[in-house]
Amino acid sequence: MIRTLRARADYGWRHSPRPYVARLRLLVDGELRAAFPGRPMHTAAGPRLAYTGPYEIGKGMLAQVARHPDSDAATGADLELVAASARRLAALPSARTLQLPPRVHQIVRIREDLETTLGGRCRRERQRFNRNRRKEQWTWEHSEAAEDVEFFHRRMHVPTVRARHGADAVSEPLTVARECLFKQGHLFFIRAGGPQGERIAGTLCRWDERRRTLTYRLVGILDGDHSLRLAGALTALQFFVFEWAAQHGVPTVDLGGGAPFLSRGIVQQKMRLGAEVVLAPVPVRHLRMRLRVARDTEGVRDFLVANPLLATTPGGGLEAVYFHDRTRPIRDDVAWRSPGVDRLRIVDLDEFLDRQVKLDGGSSRAPALPVTVGTSPPTAGLLSTFHEGGRRWHTGRS
């Protein structure tokens, strides 16, 4: 009983849409936590990052920088990231800054069937899905059995997370999955070999009555088998859930979210589905996030160029930001065009760092930053891992 109550309280603190929770988190995370400096982190081949704010917001950024704890805090940080209230951020230095959404989600508007929902997008993946559906006799199952939650969590979700993220693996515990997700949501499986065949993949989704949205929360493939992932089992889960949603009058499927990096493979995969990028739902959307370049180093420049990201515009929208300099070309293998992303902004790092102007839309006495704003996306392949200068940048977790 105590474990269940603790799980519900923890989940509610992190995800509750209730207004009083949002106000309390604004006080605790946006004001009180922001009064303490962040802990510098570093990687063997990357910049040092200092982060101040709640963990569920900062974990994606920390993973993107491939973090390792650093005991030598005296040397300071190369990048400073703060998630706090707008009032707190207004008191911080504004030069060399970028205002980011704390988290972004990607949603799909459901139409009457799968073909209409996807609207001709991701044709190759749909062809592979239809081929495997016939050849492997894939069928989907909607489970209402409580004991299936443990099977899904133990045999699918946890092994998949560990296989993908190793020591950085983070997941919801079984108690949260059972008490906070399953009891307010739906559990789906894919079976191979027909309705009585083996379960090879699954997802646990939560139903949000207020938003009329079915949200992806946990996914997994049997025993974390990489071959099933290569066969498209995870994408097939999405297609099956879209079909179920269309049949049951669900208007929106939220495919989940994370840090605002366009270079993450999972973000690019969802973009191919035509998913719309939106700000994360409450309670974290009441916070603001600011990234500041504290020191101009080779590692900082490598990181910014290698990781195009989403920033907030003065009007509250989203824009794609790509960096470059004289020796580092713009990444043309990461697409940005998506519903919910208003425009493309290309930034010269030499101008951004040398003149110390800012990009967050606020006031500044510095001269306006020379930028290029466009509407045509980069169109090359969509990678999940990027290599530059002998350094390997992972796309992070979903």
Side-chain angles (χ1 to χ4, degrees), residues 58-103:
K59 65 180 181 180
M61 178 69 76
L62 296 173
Q64 197 78 7
V65 185
R67 69 194 186 283
H68 297 282
D70 180 20
S71 59
D72 183 12
T75 58
D78 302 320
L79 296 171
E80 297 173 354
L81 182 69
V82 179
S85 66
R87 187 187 73 85
R88 282 282 184 181
L89 292 184
L92 299 178
S94 59
R96 297 182 175 185
T97 64
L98 196 68
Q99 187 156 305
L100 311 177
R103 284 174 62 87

Side-chain angles (χ1 to χ4, degrees), residues 171-192:
S171 178
E172 299 285 8
L174 177 60
T175 304
V176 169
R178 182 175 56 245
E179 299 295 330
C180 306
L181 300 179
F182 179 70
K183 289 186 176 181
Q184 289 79 36
H186 301 274
L187 177 61
F188 301 94
F189 291 106
I190 291 180
R191 288 183 180 268

Side-chain angles (χ1 to χ4, degrees), residues 10-80:
D10 176 68
Y11 189 87
W13 175 256
R14 291 183 288 119
H15 298 286
S16 175
R18 299 182 184 278
Y20 73 86
V21 176
R23 289 194 295 269
L24 185 58
R25 289 208 60 174
L26 181 60
L27 172 62
V28 174
D29 292 328
E31 297 289 337
L32 300 180
R33 191 193 299 266
F36 298 93
R39 180 185 182 186
M41 316 292 285
H42 81 282
T43 66
R48 294 164 53 86
L49 171 69
Y51 172 66
T52 299
Y55 174 70
E56 68 264 31
I57 293 178
K59 65 180 181 180
M61 178 69 76
L62 296 173
Q64 197 78 7
V65 185
R67 69 194 186 283
H68 297 282
D70 180 20
S71 59
D72 183 12
T75 58
D78 302 320
L79 296 171
E80 297 173 354

Side-chain angles (χ1 to χ4, degrees), residues 356-384:
Q356 298 190 7
V357 295
K358 68 175 193 172
L359 291 174
D360 64 359
S363 61
S364 175
R365 295 182 181 178
L369 177 68
V371 298
T372 300
V373 178
T375 57
S376 299
T379 56
L382 306 175
L383 305 182
S384 60

